[in-house]
Amino acid sequence: MPVRDLARSRLPKPKPKQLLRAAFRLGALAALAVALAGPASGQTADASVSSRGLAVGEELTYSLTLRGGRSGPVDPPAGSGALRLSSPIPTLDITTTFNGETERRVAWAYEATRTGVGRIDGLRVTVGGRSLRVDPVQVRVSPAPAASAPTVSSDEIFARAEVSRETAFIGQQVIVEYVLYFQPQIQPRQTAPIGTWDAAGFWREEMEVPSAYPRSVTLGGEPYEAVTIRRIALFPTRAGELELAEMRFDVDLLRTTTRGFGADPFAPFFSPFSSRYDEEEVTAPAATITVRPLPDGAPPGFGGAVGQFELETVVDERQVEAGEAVEVRATISGTGNTATLRAPQIEPPRGVDAYAPRADREVFRTAEPLRGVAVFAYTLVPQGGGVFEVPAAPWSYFDPADGQYKTLRTETVEITALGPSLAEAAAADPDGPAALILSAPVWERARPSVTWLWVALAGGLSLPLLAGLGLLAVRMGRRRLGAASPRGRRKRLASAIRTRLDAARALDGPAAAAEVERAVHAALDRLGVPAATLPAHVLPSRLDAAGLAPELRDRTLALLDACGRVQYAPGLAGTPSASALVADAEPLLADLPTERASEAVPA
């Protein structure tokens, strides 16, 4: 018997049931491995504290949440400044796994030992085999309870404002948490602010408060429960001592009493008549923040951004046909006020038309500190074939953590346009737009053809058709030259401005202000002033260079400033209405010059 047949005879064929059983076992082992390993790329490590402000002698809870896999031993981060670790033994250490997602929560207690700023150091942890960094946390420690006790409506329930920092630079983010404190017999059901709240000198952004269980704290030796009921991110707009007005809240609560039951802890469960619904008005006292001006030495590209930022450049297409658009997106993300960020000023090379960037902004209101993203989309159109290089554009900001100005740069973009170059296009089409960019073409008389008689005969027979085509070509050429002429550009811009103002009249609030701002930008673009991309401190000098009179320049700057306040700070005192913006814009746009001096032509 051949060796191959002998081996085949000794190996029995597996039965179908055995195959199914083996497949089931392999599937179970694979599912178990996935459940134990967890997600491959979803490891996170987040830290939070129970309070951003406390008094001397009080304690806070530092919680560390690890997600995305198993984690090894974690040592408590050290406390420094006004904080001290109460015990290296965690007050909480729980690991749960649900749907293959592993989460571990570890918590420690820290005690406030003196007034000032307390710091819980950062640390590195390993989650699912990946090393992650957890940022440090700072809190404010007030004097002893007797000296720092706020004005409260009763001993049972009160509120106060807790700021993340008492000293900040202009534009630096400050988080204010309004915390409700109540004794255990109080059960708040719902809170609502009363009236308006004033924070003059600040740009503010409301933050979302995630639902959370009340945390236990000790104030003046008495046990309290605390819960954050409102969180606001503030960005100072001027230096000095700025005050946050007091904030009032209406609280619906359930008050539980144990009268007649002594100290029986089960009394509320067996006596439903010992609880009653009630309403309470609490007031969080005013707070003061000291704001410092930004230091000298700002780079030329600085536009007022303060925080920590990242800049990324994305190009949709790097090779297009001549005349097609290329979109370049500069994405700026970070902890600063993204609503007021200025776009990087990109300088396109000769032969590439550039349009004012379109800005899209998004704020992540659940992150702490508040984070945002501003995406500036530039449209570039190469007018002829060739390779064009758009140089990197600088963008500067002030980092309050380091106390230094820093500069980021967009990516240098190389665009390849397919098709004839401007010189070749001008030679092929002397009446086309490429000829307007280059010098005038040289005309040469064509040599007579030998078959001129046949050409003359054909021309005579097709004379009516040629006449019609020639008339049509003349009209199209005049229309094209008229559109490319300064007079044609003025007509298009005037139509665009009228369209913007008509849209603003039909809208209200920030949307109307945005249309008015676009109309003013369009009017300034025809003067050679790209106001949409210029930093605020550069715009006045560019308007002077464009030949605007001082009075007209000041009116323009005031209208743009009012548009910004209506869009991004509608609640500030003195902010005009949308109808007032339109009323101010109409005479201003009528007074602005319709062309640069170099483009002036006789009427």
Side-chain angles (χ1 to χ4, degrees), residues 316-317 320-327 355 379-382:
D316 60 348
E317 293 286 345
V320 295
E321 295 287 341
E324 292 184 356
V326 175
E327 185 174 89
Y355 297 86
T379 301
L380 308 178
V381 182

Side-chain angles (χ1 to χ4, degrees), residues 516-518 520-521 524 531 539 543 555-565 567 588:
V516 174
E517 185 180 51
R518 294 189 184 101
V520 177
H521 286 170
L524 296 180
L539 186 56
L543 294 178
R555 288 171 56 194
T556 303
L557 294 174
L559 182 59
L560 290 176
D561 179 69
C563 290
R565 283 187 283 122
Q567 292 181 76
L588 172 65

Side-chain angles (χ1 to χ4, degrees), residues 63 160 202 207 229 288 302 323 367 438 461 468 470-471 498 518:
S63 300
R160 67 184 183 186
F202 289 96
M207 301 178 65
I229 56 178
T288 302
F302 179 67
L438 304 177
L461 295 176
L471 180 60
R498 287 195 301 269
R518 294 189 184 101

Side-chain angles (χ1 to χ4, degrees), residues 237-252:
T237 58
R238 55 182 172 86
E241 296 287 335
L242 304 184
E243 183 180 77
L244 308 179
E246 64 179 23
M247 185 177 294
R248 297 182 299 142
F249 296 92
D250 189 8
V251 184
D252 294 335

Side-chain angles (χ1 to χ4, degrees), residues 15 65 135 266 291 308 520 525 564-565 597:
K15 298 180 180 180
T65 304
D135 294 332
F266 299 99
V291 182
Q308 291 83 38
V520 177
D525 283 342
R565 283 187 283 122

Side-chain angles (χ1 to χ4, degrees), residues 24-38 70 97 100 102:
F24 177 77
R25 289 176 179 175
L26 289 176
L29 290 175
L32 180 60
V34 171
L36 293 177
R70 296 289 179 178
T97 301
T102 300

Side-chain angles (χ1 to χ4, degrees), residues 66 69-71 92-98 101-106:
L66 310 176
R70 296 289 179 178
S71 58
L92 176 70
D93 192 347
I94 299 176
T95 301
T96 59
T97 301
F98 182 73
E101 179 76 16
T102 300
E103 176 180 296
R104 180 184 179 187
R105 294 188 61 193
V106 191

Side-chain angles (χ1 to χ4, degrees), residues 190-205:
Q190 187 176 1
T191 61
I194 302 175
T196 58
W197 179 70
D198 188 22
F202 289 96
W203 185 298
R204 63 179 183 262
E205 293 282 356

